[in-house]
């Protein structure tokens, strides 16, 4: 009996692996859910890029908006930026978080490429990014009118990903 079950052991291992792989098919390998989805935006105290004014989480819009983490050091942010400018021209509210960047480089970037952000805040040390669970830039969070995070996009926001993001922007 023992010998017979040992012969089937490789088959059972193969079957388990095949089932695990089968259920992973079709899933986006880039997608990482955020623990903050369904939670409020963490409290923060950041300064604006332009005026060094102090802004807290209580200053955020009372209507749906996007929080976009970006940096001039980020190649993907260069790709994403023109689409953000388009969205802003369509009336989408975007709060920009200049993430682990130098203020002078960020100001020059926005002067050259256009500023799609209603407000640009500096997160030089990345503490707010850490609180938001940011793993890199660009990263975009959808926040509803009650200040709750409803979606997180890791990577470039573009025409394709906008379809998904827009569904959560209510």
């Amino acid at each position: 009996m023992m010998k017979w079950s040992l012969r089937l052991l490789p088959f059972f291992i193969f079957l388990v692996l095949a089932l695990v792989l089968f259920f992973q098919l079709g899933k986006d390998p880039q997608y990482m859910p955020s623990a903050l989805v369904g939670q409020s935006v963490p409290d923060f105290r950041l300064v604006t890029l332009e005026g060094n004014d102090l802004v807290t989480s209580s200053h955020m819009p009372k209507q749906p908006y996007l929080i976009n983490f970006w940096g001039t050091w980020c190649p993907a942010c260069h790709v994403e930026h023109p689409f953000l400018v388009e969205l802003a021209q369509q009336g989408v509210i975007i709060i920009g978080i200049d993430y682990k960047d130098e203020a002078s480089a960020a100001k020059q970037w926005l002067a050259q490429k256009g500023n799609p952000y209603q407000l640009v805040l500096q997160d030089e040390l990345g503490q707010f990014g850490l609180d938001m669970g940011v793993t890199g830039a660009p990263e975009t969070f959808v926040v509803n009118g009650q200040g709750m995070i409803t979606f997180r996009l890791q990577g470039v926001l573009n025409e394709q990903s906008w379809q998904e993001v827009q569904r959560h922007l209510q």
Side-chain angles (χ1 to χ4, degrees), residues 36-113:
L36 290 180
V37 171
Q39 306 286 320
S40 298
V41 173
D43 289 334
F44 65 84
R45 295 169 52 95
L46 297 171
V47 294
T48 60
L49 181 65
E50 288 301 323
N52 286 333
D53 297 321
L54 183 64
V55 175
T56 67
S57 48
S58 65
H59 293 98
M60 291 297 96
K62 303 301 179 212
Q63 58 204 50
Y65 63 96
L66 303 176
I67 297 177
N68 178 255
F69 285 81
W70 63 281
T72 59
W73 49 266
C74 160
C77 297
H78 289 265
V79 173
E80 179 186 65
H81 197 80
F83 188 71
L84 294 177
V85 171
E86 273 182 49
L87 290 178
Q89 289 169 349
Q90 295 170 19
V92 176
I93 299 171
I94 308 170
I95 305 298
I97 307 295
D98 184 27
Y99 184 62
K100 297 182 176 180
D101 204 359
E102 292 183 21
S104 60
K107 287 176 186 175
Q108 185 177 5
W109 160 294
L110 294 174
Q112 290 173 348
K113 297 177 179 282

Side-chain angles (χ1 to χ4, degrees), residues 64 142-144 150-151 163-170:
V142 178
V143 182
N144 69 17
T150 60
F151 187 73
Q163 302 306 316
E164 178 73 17
V165 170
Q166 192 174 25
R167 287 192 292 132
H168 297 277
L169 190 64
Q170 303 171 12

Side-chain angles (χ1 to χ4, degrees), residues 2-20:
M2 177 86 162
K3 207 174 190 182
W4 195 80
S5 62
L6 282 177
R7 283 188 201 162
L8 290 177
L9 185 61
F11 173 73
F12 287 117
I13 292 172
F14 172 77
L15 186 63
V16 168
L17 288 174
L19 287 171
V20 167

